[in-house]
Structure formats: structure tokens, C-alpha cells
Amino acid sequence: TNMRVALDRIGALLRAAGDSRPDGAPDELPPGRPAIALEAAIDDVARGLVCDPKRKRERSMQAIQGLQGKGLLRYEAGFVWCL
């Protein structure tokens, strides 16, 4: 499913990001927790989805919203991190 693709791809980006706090990260980001830019996550997830190219960004954002709804990740102030 799209959420599985999103979780796998965001997980890889977060592992590559390390645990340094990005500039502009929100106060809600726990110390030592890796975070990536939301736009980078949307773009990377979109590349991994199999759907109409015109719908990839929309489906990517829906998958990220679904993962937040399930309590697996959070996005705030332009950043994404796992919970």
C-alpha cells in the first residue's frame, strides 16, 4: 500500500539524516530524534508510488497523513519524524 511505501522511504531518509537537529526544526521535535523536511519526504515517497504521475504528490501526502493518523510519525512546521 501507499502507506507502506511511505514508511519504508521515510525511514530510509531518517536513517540517513542522523540525529542532529535540523535548522528551523519545531520545538515539538524530541531531542536526538532525526527529522527531515516534509517536502523532501513528499517528493521521495512520490517517486516510489505506482500511480498516475499527476496524482503522485497527492497520494504521497495522503500516505503521510495516514501514517500520522496511525501514530507512526508526525509532521509539524515543515518537518517529519517518527514517533
Side-chain angles (χ1 to χ4, degrees):
T1 69
N2 290 349
M3 283 196 293
R4 180 80 246 170
V5 171
L7 189 60
D8 289 346
R9 293 185 75 98
I10 290 171
L13 290 173
L14 289 170
R15 283 188 293 279
D19 56 1
S20 62
R21 188 176 188 83
D23 291 337
D27 292 338
E28 294 84 3
L29 175 64
R33 185 76 46 97
I36 55 170
L38 177 59
E39 284 300 314
I42 292 169
D43 291 343
D44 194 71
V45 170
R47 283 191 291 276
L49 296 179
V50 179
C51 65
D52 181 349
K54 292 189 288 187
R55 298 275 184 218
K56 284 190 175 213
R57 281 188 60 82
E58 173 189 347
R59 298 285 191 257
S60 176
M61 192 61 207
Q62 287 173 345
I64 292 169
Q65 289 169 336
L67 291 170
Q68 177 165 285
K70 289 183 177 284
L72 297 173
L73 59 80
R74 180 166 178 190
Y75 63 91
E76 184 83 34
F79 288 90
V80 177
W81 62 91
C82 283
L83 296 177

